[in-house]
Amino acid sequence: MGLEKIDQLAREWLEEAGNRIFMALEQANIEVEAKSDRNDLVTNVDKSTERYFAEKIAENFPEHRLLGEEGYGEEITSLEGIVWVLDPIDGTVNFVEQKRNFAISLGIYQEGVGELAYIYDIVGGEFYFAKRGEGAFVNDVEIPKLAKNNKLEDSLVIINTASVRKFPHMLPVIQAARGLRLYGAATLEYMAVATGRADAYVSANLSPWDIGAGKIIAEEVGAIVTRVDGSEMLITEKGDSFVASPGVHAEILRDYSR
Ligand code: 2AM
Ligand code: CA
């Protein structure tokens, strides 16, 4: 089965899932529960969206595996075969509180290599897509490659307070930058860097589904994606994440490491 068929069905399912999420918002049909802590939320819509993908994947691609936040897929520690990495709603706090600034995130990996990625900002009407080696797009318009020599002093950076607490050496990074911005959804923070609306995003604790698609799209436009210490970031392992345009990534590692 080729990637073209996978791409075609993934787009159909994302569109259908997006419509259902939009309707749930319009009908105020949202039940909220807390998970690990009071800010780690899940709703009936997160669950039904992931279940929808789990059923579609099982029906159409029984040999593929799903790695999803809400547990309708499998426990996955390695990326053999084809793995769909899904966050049905990234930015659930925004979904509940703002009814915007959230996205469906889907990355498709084949033998560990990110081949296709989709981040669908439903209310914002922005559909981000990348195919490895063929560029990244937003609503079918190609995203230009990132400039290589941007400087921190001209940059907007994205770092939340929990991440500054874990990485205090990021405080002088914020002070040296042109400004600080926060979006509250890791995928949209990745897309802010990928589209040049910000130059760096640091997060202390992300999971495979938060980064599975964002890493593919960001790397396709030339962003550098690593752990905060500059080491390789494997998407199968939870942990910190540092994505930035090449010049700013190098400058932060060189001038602001602990
Ligand atoms: P989520 O909405 O899918 O839970 C919030 O700053 C960002 O961090 C969101 O992308 C959120 O994803 C992610 N995140 C990851 N782990 C989290 C946690 N334990 N609690 C809150 N947000 C978390
Ligand atoms: Ca989520």
Side-chain angles (χ1 to χ4, degrees), residues 46 69-70 87-90 92:
D46 300 55
E69 176 162 24
E70 310 310 339
D87 191 343
I89 298 186
D90 179 49
T92 301

Side-chain angles (χ1 to χ4, degrees), residues 188-247:
L188 299 181
E189 295 175 314
Y190 259 77
M191 292 307 91
V193 174
T195 54
R197 295 195 291 261
D199 270 273
Y201 166 48
V202 172
S203 179
N205 191 20
L206 294 179
S207 295
W209 39 85
D210 297 317
I211 52 182
K215 179 172 187 278
I216 297 172
I217 299 172
E219 288 183 339
E220 192 60 33
V221 297
I224 311 294
V225 179
T226 64
R227 297 293 181 197
V228 170
D229 66 4
S231 63
E232 186 185 1
M233 185 187 83
L234 297 176
I235 71 118
T236 44
E237 288 167 19
K238 261 185 188 228
D240 55 85
S241 150
F242 172 27
V243 53
S245 66

